[in-house]
Amino acid sequence: MNNRAVIVGRFQPFHEGHKQVVDSYIDEYELVIAIGSASEEGTEENPLSFEERKKIIRGCYPEVEIVGLEDFERDDEGNRKWLEHLKEETEAEKVISRNSLVKSIIREDEKLELVEQDLHDPNIYSGTEVRRRIKSGEEWRYLVPGCAEEAIADKLEKIKKSGIQYEFEPGWKRENSYHDTFEK
Ligand code: NAP
């Protein structure tokens, strides 16, 4: 028996909600942070590479072990490979997650214990919202911890360019209103 617990997430990017969750377990377990979708990069949901995300998290936790987990097919065989990889890379006995697929995979394993984390203000802190704000030029800094802010700021252009490109212009224009009933 060991006291190692792995906290799984994509951390695209690491934000204040993630930090609150990590902080709430850091004294209880020997914590490992596993960055999921490590091989994905440049997509709408996964703009940052594993190394970039690791660097951002490292700014907050200089000592915590950080590993990357690549994705496999989302079928029984792929999920089994993903689980084996997680076990090998982390040697953890407990897995902290709220992801429904992760939870079902861990529950089927006889040895691993699932720790269902509480999300910290998920309506305020969300990776999707941080990315949306960066892409639309809105304020995003208040959603991320100070220890991660500058490393994320270094990656703004990459986050803006990843995935679907939207045209954002400041200010509301009547002609852009989809329910416009006025003459243009
Ligand atoms: P997710 O589905 O992206 O996240 C689930 C929700 O939990 C999101 O709202 C997320 O918020 C939030 N969240 C995740 N970690 C958090 C944390 N530490 N603190 C606070 N909120 C957190 O999934 P995920 O749990 O981040 O990542 C699971 C990873 O495992 C993915 O990379 C997935 O591809 C991988 N996986 C792969 C396989 C396979 O290859 N077959 C199978 C299972 C899982 P945010 O959006 O704000 O982060």
Side-chain angles (χ1 to χ4, degrees):
M1 285 285 279
N2 64 34
N3 194 34
R4 281 167 78 80
V6 54
I7 187 156
V8 184
R10 284 183 304 119
F11 308 113
Q12 287 283 8
F14 189 73
H15 57 63
E16 183 61 32
H18 298 139
K19 181 163 187 299
Q20 295 288 336
V21 172
V22 172
D23 286 351
S24 69
Y25 292 110
I26 204 158
D27 293 331
E28 192 176 346
Y29 302 118
E30 191 185 330
L31 213 56
V32 183
I33 296 176
I35 299 178
S37 305
S39 45
E40 283 259 338
E41 185 185 357
T43 63
E44 182 87 353
E45 289 198 327
N46 292 304
L48 301 175
S49 70
F50 164 67
E51 287 298 337
E52 288 164 336
R53 286 176 276 166
K54 184 176 173 181
K55 186 176 174 195
I56 291 166
I57 298 172
R58 187 55 80 219
C60 296
Y61 301 103
E63 308 288 339
V64 169
E65 194 175 329
I66 301 173
V67 301
L69 299 176
E70 63 182 289
D71 282 341
F72 296 89
E73 293 293 328
R74 298 288 201 276
D75 56 17
D76 286 351
E77 192 187 344
N79 291 337
R80 192 176 42 71
K81 283 184 188 164
W82 182 82
L83 179 63
E84 284 312 309
H85 198 191
L86 175 127
K87 286 179 176 175
E88 276 168 28
E89 290 293 317
T90 69
E91 295 175 357
E93 296 209 332
K94 298 177 182 66
V95 179
I96 302 166
S97 178
R98 276 291 289 257
N99 177 296
S100 50
L101 178 58
V102 173
K103 288 195 295 187
S104 68
I105 294 170
I106 301 308
R107 283 197 184 108
E108 283 182 19
D109 189 274
E110 285 174 4
K111 290 196 180 139
L112 285 174
E113 183 185 324
L114 175 70
V115 180
E116 282 198 68
Q117 70 179 55
D118 289 327
L119 294 184
H120 178 78
D121 281 340
N123 294 329
I124 299 174
Y125 301 108
S126 128
T128 308
E129 178 63 4
V130 175
R131 297 194 302 279
R132 189 196 68 75
R133 283 178 167 269
I134 289 173
K135 291 186 104 172
S136 64
E138 292 170 60
E139 187 48 71
W140 54 271
R141 288 175 187 261
Y142 75 100
L143 293 173
V144 309
C147 51
E149 195 178 319
E150 286 319 307
I152 295 172
D154 280 348
K155 296 292 156 203
L156 290 194
E157 288 312 309
K158 190 165 186 197
I159 294 172
K160 280 182 189 171
K161 283 183 187 146
S162 63
I164 304 165
Q165 295 301 302
Y166 301 102
E167 292 287 329
F168 292 107
E169 276 187 55
W172 181 82
K173 291 196 183 75
R174 198 169 68 190
E175 64 265 30
N176 293 338
S177 168
Y178 62 86
H179 56 275
D180 188 6
T181 54
F182 301 100
E183 274 189 36
K184 292 187 179 174

